[in-house]
Amino acid sequence: MSGLVNYASCAVLWLGLLVKAPDLIRHRHDPYLRAICAVLGLAGLCFLLGAPPTVGAVNHASGVPNLAAPLTYASITAYGAASQVLVVHWRGGPRVRRAARRWICAYAGIVLGIAVAFVLGDAPVERRTDLDTYYASTPYLREMIVLYLAGHLTAAAVTAVSSLRWARQVRGWLRAGLTLLGVGTLCNAGYSVSKLVAVAARWCGRDWSALSTHVSPAAAALGALMTAAGVLLPLLGPRLTESRRAWRAYVRLEPLERELDGVLTRRSLRLPRPRPAAPATLLVWRQTSIHNALSHLHAAFDRDLYDRVRRTVLEETGDAERAEATAWAAVVVTAVRKAGGPGALPGGAGRFPDPVPGPAALVRIADALGPAALVAARPSGGRATTGTA
């Protein structure tokens, strides 16, 4: 076997560890972050040590047949301990540290038992993929195999139950992450169950080694992918949401920037477009350009027009935000037309206490530009009909 599945799973998990590493460096004393990073790091180590090429390399370098087996089992056990510690910190409470220490001590005892059993046992024939079933009836090695599988199954079951139970009490990205983590650890439980069934079958004189060599690695790989996604989703999800929100606002502001394009171009008020840039950076760039144009046009803003349009739209719709946005848009359209004429900008009828609307108001003004253009085209005494669609 090439071990491609193992190495791919290890890469996914360590990529998640790499994403969390900056947070761990900034908050190195946070036990919750340490537990998350330990889960990701040890899970990746399990796949790395369990890959057949790695098994062969470890055995050859040490000169001890099957030394890679107890090392892999120890890493799986340590991963189980890290999972339990993570669950303890999730639950919280006054005795978090004591409970975490108990789990660590318990699984340290399992690691010690694995080491002692391997030393006492006899495994002269190297088995890179089916050691569990090949030595299932060998004294001491049998106990070693059952010990690590029982420890892993316990950790996976407790983590899955705790994650899925907590997922019902929260919402949003945290709920999605906990659900993925719970399902992923259920897949990890499938790894232990399939191996235990294969070992039990060997005790009964049957050969079900395919469960150990094919089904079990597939369950572990799927569990690794879902576990990494579950841990990272609550961290990356809010950032994705914010990026999507920024991109939508950026797109919605495009009509307003287009309306102000003449002023921005003639007066060289538009900043250079950042390339490449995240949606939030592009949004700030567009907002800044619009603010520059509106500040330049402030002298041409017509306060009487603003008051008249706002009052009329408010009477028609009863929506104060829509009335204000439509009034601002009408004022902007009128000021842009004045700015397009010869000479200096004429003064408006009255002054605005705030010459530049805020970011949220800019988006509403951009949305209102269609009906506002019709309003601005009417004579001063005309009815400012905007429609109610």
Side-chain angles (χ1 to χ4, degrees):
M1 296 179 64
S2 65
L4 180 61
V5 173
N6 290 66
Y7 293 136
S9 301
C10 177
V12 170
L13 289 160
W14 282 359
L15 179 61
L17 177 61
L18 185 63
V19 170
K20 294 295 294 182
D23 292 334
L24 181 63
I25 294 174
R26 288 192 297 268
H27 309 284
R28 60 177 60 90
H29 298 298
D30 187 339
Y32 177 68
L33 276 175
R34 290 205 300 262
I36 289 179
C37 292
V39 167
L40 294 173
L42 289 171
L45 182 63
C46 295
F47 283 103
L48 177 65
L49 292 176
T54 305
V55 171
V58 170
N59 294 338
H60 177 74
S62 65
V64 179
N66 299 307
L67 178 63
L71 295 179
T72 304
Y73 298 164
S75 66
I76 292 174
T77 303
Y79 163 73
S83 300
Q84 295 299 334
V85 171
L86 179 60
V87 170
V88 167
H89 286 294
W90 272 349
R91 289 175 176 171
R95 300 181 179 179
V96 170
R97 292 185 178 180
R98 180 181 299 180
R101 283 196 298 267
R102 286 178 179 176
W103 281 112
I104 292 173
C105 290
Y107 276 80
I110 294 177
V111 171
L112 180 60
I114 290 172
V116 172
F118 181 76
V119 171
L120 295 177
D122 184 22
V125 180
E126 182 187 53
R127 309 301 298 184
R128 298 189 179 185
T129 60
D130 62 345
L131 184 142
D132 298 322
T133 52
Y134 187 86
Y135 289 108
S137 300
T138 302
Y140 297 110
L141 296 182
R142 171 184 58 218
E143 287 74 14
M144 177 187 72
I145 294 167
V146 173
L147 186 62
Y148 99 85
L149 287 176
H152 179 266
L153 180 58
T154 300
V158 173
T159 304
V161 171
S162 300
S163 300
L164 295 176
R165 181 180 299 169
W166 190 19
R168 293 183 297 179
Q169 303 173 10
V170 295
R171 294 290 183 270
W173 290 107
L174 181 57
R175 182 175 188 174
L178 287 170
T179 301
L180 281 174
L181 183 60
V183 175
T185 49
L186 283 178
C187 293
N188 285 333
Y191 166 88
S192 300
V193 170
S194 58
K195 281 188 172 291
L196 283 171
V197 170
V199 169
R202 179 56 61 93
W203 293 343
C204 297
R206 299 174 181 269
D207 183 11
W208 289 2
S209 57
L211 286 175
S212 178
T213 57
H214 295 90
V215 177
S216 183
L222 180 60
L225 180 62
M226 300 186 75
T227 297
V231 170
L232 296 177
L233 202 58
L235 171 68
L236 300 179
R239 298 180 185 177
L240 294 175
T241 300
E242 187 60 31
S243 294
R244 183 178 62 180
R245 185 182 297 112
W247 178 256
R248 291 179 61 185
Y250 170 79
V251 172
R252 289 174 65 184
L253 283 175
E254 193 273 336
L256 181 56
E257 186 191 17
R258 187 171 62 246
E259 181 69 29
L260 298 169
D261 182 69
V263 177
L264 289 168
T265 302
R266 286 194 304 271
R267 302 296 179 179
S268 300
L269 299 174
R270 182 185 281 111
L271 298 176
R273 180 187 176 95
R275 298 177 185 275
T281 303
L282 290 174
L283 176 61
V284 171
W285 168 77
R286 178 161 281 177
Q287 287 173 340
T288 302
S289 298
I290 292 172
H291 283 167
N292 291 342
L294 294 181
S295 297
H296 177 75
L297 292 173
H298 182 229
F301 287 167
D302 190 337
R303 183 58 185 260
D304 290 342
L305 175 63
Y306 174 88
D307 293 336
R308 186 173 63 252
V309 173
R310 184 181 183 281
R311 182 173 57 254
T312 302
V313 177
L314 185 60
E315 291 173 355
E316 292 178 352
T317 65
D319 188 336
E321 286 189 347
R322 180 176 178 180
E324 183 177 353
T326 305
W328 261 111
V331 167
V332 169
V333 171
T334 303
V336 168
R337 292 176 182 176
K338 292 178 181 179
L345 288 175
R351 299 296 298 243
F352 284 79
D354 185 5
V356 179
L362 288 181
V363 174
R364 293 193 294 268
I365 294 170
D367 293 340
L369 273 177
L374 298 177
V375 171
R378 292 180 176 274
S380 299
R383 180 175 174 79
T385 302
T386 63
T388 58

